[in-house]
Amino acid sequence: SEKKFASCVVVLAPEHEAWFNEKSEEHLRDLESAVAALPAMARPPAEAAKLPKLFARGRLVDATVKIAAAPSAPYTLLVADDASGGGYRQMSHTGHQITCIVQP
């Protein structure tokens, strides 16, 4: 079965930017697994959007999470793919648009 992805905006306080960027791939992987483990992610997007802010705790990052429903969700997401020599690839979207305020 194809993995489905949510779109996410990461918000950092200025004093946390250097820390996050130093190991951004590792921090993003940790954030992704922490957010994926939230029970709210198993709910339909419109239902999850009604929840108050949530808290996700990873191994490396903590995040305050707000979920919104994407327009006409779920849909196909086109993402830039440097690995394929600079084209795009299609990814199946869950319909969850997430904003994460991230801190160490």
Side-chain angles (χ1 to χ4, degrees):
S1 74
E2 184 186 17
K3 185 176 178 184
K4 291 179 182 269
F5 295 85
S7 46
C8 179
V9 173
V10 174
V11 180
L12 297 163
E15 64 270 21
H16 296 146
E17 283 180 22
W19 157 79
F20 190 85
N21 291 332
E22 194 180 321
K23 294 182 181 172
S24 60
E25 282 186 30
E26 209 176 325
H27 289 142
L28 285 170
R29 271 196 305 274
D30 188 47
L31 178 63
E32 183 181 9
S33 58
V35 170
L38 291 171
M41 291 303 294
R43 295 186 181 193
E47 214 178 283
K50 293 176 185 167
L51 297 171
K53 283 185 180 166
L54 306 164
F55 192 71
R57 174 163 275 151
R59 206 170 40 83
L60 304 168
V61 304
D62 287 343
T64 303
V65 179
K66 183 64 187 146
I67 301 172
S72 66
Y75 58 91
T76 301
L77 192 63
L78 280 178
V79 296
D81 188 2
D82 293 335
S84 72
Y88 287 90
R89 65 190 161 121
Q90 294 191 339
M91 292 158 68
S92 190
H93 196 279
T94 63
H96 300 86
Q97 281 185 328
I98 303 166
T99 302
C100 294
I101 300 170
V102 176
Q103 61 205 32

